[in-house]
Amino acid sequence: MIKLKTVRGEALMRIKEHPILKFDYQNEIHFTYNNQAMIGYEGDTIAAALYDNGIRHFSNSVVHDRPRGLYCAIGNCGSCYMRVNGVDNVKTCMTLLEENMVVESEVSVASND
Ligand code: FES
């Protein structure tokens, strides 16, 4: 069995208890980020799983080469663009994580430079 190396180790960024909402972190989803094996959970967006693994820097902007990451988290800004399964400019804040996804940083073409 392959032992996965994760950045997060423990799920530090997860809400585990809430007075109204219930969270079910039973079904792990395995994916890679820049060739690093990581784990998320069923129902995570790619961005949420990356955050949980301690990843905040998703890509760099084209014009100023500034770091990009989660910003609006509702699909409006494009700051979270990444290459997913070989497809560029995927909004990771709006895309659900799937088993064996390959997530990579890219040079972002988002407009808010
Ligand atoms: S963070 Fe704004 S579109 Fe994803």
Side-chain angles (χ1 to χ4, degrees):
M1 180 175 192
I2 298 170
K3 183 170 177 141
L4 293 172
K5 286 173 70 177
T6 63
V7 172
R8 67 181 161 95
E10 272 295 311
L12 300 175
M13 293 299 295
R14 296 228 172 239
I15 297 171
K16 294 180 178 164
E17 293 180 28
H18 191 278
I20 299 170
L21 302 173
K22 299 277 183 239
F23 301 101
D24 180 13
Y25 300 128
Q26 298 298 311
N27 299 323
E28 290 184 348
I29 296 182
H30 303 91
F31 70 105
T32 61
Y33 162 73
N34 291 347
N35 296 317
Q36 253 185 302
M38 297 192 170
I39 297 172
Y41 293 93
E42 190 174 71
D44 281 352
T45 62
I46 297 167
L50 288 171
Y51 253 64
D52 190 41
N53 281 276
I55 306 299
R56 306 289 184 272
H57 180 185
F58 290 7
S59 63
N60 281 10
S61 65
V62 171
V63 176
H64 300 292
D65 196 33
R66 292 188 288 216
R68 294 196 166 277
L70 198 58
Y71 183 64
C72 73
I74 57 171
N76 284 340
C77 72
S79 184
C80 65
Y81 279 155
M82 298 183 84
R83 181 177 296 125
V84 177
N85 293 337
V87 177
D88 286 331
N89 302 328
V90 173
K91 288 184 178 179
T92 58
C93 72
M94 301 299 292
T95 305
L96 287 177
L97 188 67
E98 295 176 5
E99 186 70 22
N100 298 321
M101 264 185 165
V102 177
V103 180
E104 300 168 280
S105 298
E106 67 173 15
V107 177
S108 175
V109 293
S111 61
N112 296 343
D113 224 348

